[in-house]
Amino acid sequence: MLPTRLRKNIGIRNLVRETQLSMNDVVYPLFVVDGQGIRREIGAMKDQYHLSLDMLGAEILALKELGIRYVILFGVPDEKDGEATPAFVENGLVQEAIRIIKKTDPGMYIITDVCLCEYKSDGHCCFFEDDGDIKRGKTLETLSKTALSHAEAGADMVAPSDMMDGRIGHMRETLDRAGYESIPIMAYSAKYASSFYGPFREAANSAPAFGDRKSYQMDPANSKEALKEIMLDIDEGADIVMVKPAMPYLDIIAQGKELSYLPMAAYQVSGEYAMIKTAVDTGLMDSRVIFESLLSIKRAGADIIITYFAKELQAMLKDYQ
């Protein structure tokens, strides 16, 4: 047996390739801010931008030209409060962004991140009791209210990233009761308390004002716990499950895919992007490493990849041999 027979030329390599990437695999994150005329580069994430609502239409048309048909929205308001009110008001940033995108390009598929950290004055994803325990009832009510406001504005899918116990079931019930049975939920099921989120904290202005998020996000040392989280979300009605970050947790993606019949998403997070982007820009690595990183995530079992490299993928697909 000579394995190199099947590597001899481009034709045979294409014929037997086990993992294929396409533009249908990727979701591009967008950060929407208050103000006008803003298309401001995010300092820690080169070539990624904060966009005001009036600049969003042009961005969506540019994404369409690049073959991107799926986006996930993050709101970054100037004003926050203790109740996370900007997350769920009818004229909130994400709600208005949904309407603008659907008017500009009705075929663009819109996923919305559902969390409280960008909208809450303390930067946490939940409310707390006086003794520091999570105030679960109020947190779930607020998260579900936010998801419902996104559905009412025209979102195609909601994606809760908070890691609160029971939020998928609560959200599913809230959406169904309001007549949005057809809106899928993509659960951030195994979201680790990772240092790879560093640049995102600048992008979303969401660093916690006190403490950290280790009491609700997962311990990076644990894998069995990730499978438990995935199963709990499935039992509560999740339509898609997710692992975040991606490349440092390829083992979790693979184990989770084996565990579940549901589509598996993975988020190639800001720290992963920043490391690869810096290495490419400084000449330490060839730009093909971008494609290889996405391929590794797909090969591990991800059906959907949220990535800041989505803009580059269409050109890379043509060049990959």
Side-chain angles (χ1 to χ4, degrees):
M1 181 68 178
L2 301 177
T4 53
R5 289 176 186 148
L6 301 185
R7 303 175 198 153
K8 183 177 180 180
N9 55 43
I10 291 171
I12 190 63
R13 289 196 298 272
N14 286 342
L15 184 64
V16 300
R17 184 162 293 131
E18 298 172 29
T19 305
Q20 304 283 348
L21 276 171
S22 82
M23 294 306 296
N24 289 327
D25 296 327
V26 295
V27 178
Y28 184 65
L30 288 171
F31 298 94
V32 187
V33 298
D34 285 314
Q36 288 189 327
I38 297 172
R39 190 176 188 271
R40 181 176 61 238
E41 188 173 50
I42 299 165
M45 298 172 65
K46 187 180 178 183
D47 295 337
Q48 306 303 314
Y49 296 87
H50 286 136
L51 298 162
S52 54
L53 291 170
D54 61 317
M55 302 295 283
L56 196 53
E59 187 75 11
I60 291 299
L61 293 177
L63 294 180
K64 185 177 182 179
E65 286 296 310
L66 293 170
I68 294 170
R69 307 306 296 141
Y70 308 91
V71 295
I72 184 166
L73 297 181
F74 297 88
V76 190
D78 288 341
E79 300 296 328
K80 308 182 182 192
D81 63 27
E83 301 298 312
T85 307
F88 53 79
V89 292
E90 184 180 358
N91 62 343
L93 275 175
V94 168
Q95 291 81 355
E96 291 296 327
I98 294 166
R99 298 182 185 106
I100 289 169
I101 293 171
K102 285 300 184 184
K103 184 176 180 180
T104 303
D105 181 3
M108 184 65 77
Y109 195 91
I110 302 173
I111 306 166
T112 59
D113 178 80
V114 179
C115 199
L116 306 183
C117 57
E118 301 104 317
Y119 310 97
K120 203 162 163 281
S121 50
D122 65 9
H124 275 284
C125 307
C126 59
F127 299 96
F128 292 103
E129 303 283 2
D130 292 339
D131 62 2
D133 285 347
I134 293 170
K135 191 178 288 188
R136 199 164 73 91
K138 182 178 180 179
T139 299
L140 296 187
E141 286 289 343
T142 308
L143 288 166
S144 292
K145 189 190 301 185
T146 300
L148 179 58
S149 74
H150 293 174
E152 291 171 340
D156 296 296
M157 180 188 294
V158 295
S161 61
D162 52 281
M163 285 298 288
M164 295 298 119
D165 296 335
R167 91 272 202 211
I168 301 301
H170 195 286
M171 200 169 289
R172 183 74 272 162
E173 183 179 347
T174 299
L175 291 169
D176 290 354
R177 193 167 54 240
Y180 293 98
E181 298 96 339
S182 63
I183 298 293
I185 297 175
M186 179 167 65
Y188 286 64
S189 299
K191 181 178 179 180
Y192 284 86
S194 173
S195 297
F196 283 91
Y197 304 147
F200 180 89
R201 304 279 162 80
E202 177 185 339
N205 189 23
S206 61
F210 60 88
D212 53 37
R213 296 185 175 127
K214 292 180 180 178
S215 63
Y216 44 94
Q217 293 180 0
M218 282 188 54
D219 185 340
N222 294 352
S223 59
K224 294 184 179 68
E225 184 183 16
L227 303 182
K228 177 175 70 175
E229 290 279 9
I230 289 169
M231 286 307 303
L232 285 169
D233 284 351
I234 293 171
D235 289 344
E236 290 179 28
D239 299 284
I240 300 169
V241 293
M242 187 197 300
V243 174
K244 179 182 179 184
M247 287 180 65
Y249 297 90
L250 294 180
D251 59 322
I252 307 302
I253 295 171
Q255 291 177 58
K257 186 62 177 177
E258 289 293 322
L259 177 74
S260 167
Y261 56 84
L262 293 184
M264 170 66 71
Y267 199 140
Q268 187 181 46
V269 300
S270 59
E272 297 173 73
Y273 171 81
M275 288 194 306
I276 295 170
K277 182 71 172 169
T278 300
V280 170
D281 287 351
T282 56
L284 291 174
M285 288 192 281
D286 187 277
S287 62
R288 286 175 293 185
V289 74
I290 296 170
F291 191 91
E292 189 175 340
S293 73
L294 296 172
L295 197 64
S296 74
I297 297 166
K298 180 79 180 286
R299 190 184 63 242
D303 305 289
I304 300 162
I305 306 171
I306 303 172
T307 176
Y308 302 99
F309 287 122
K311 288 181 176 180
E312 285 93 334
L313 182 57
Q314 189 176 59
M316 289 184 169
L317 287 169
K318 296 175 184 176
D319 295 337
Y320 183 70
Q321 302 293 346

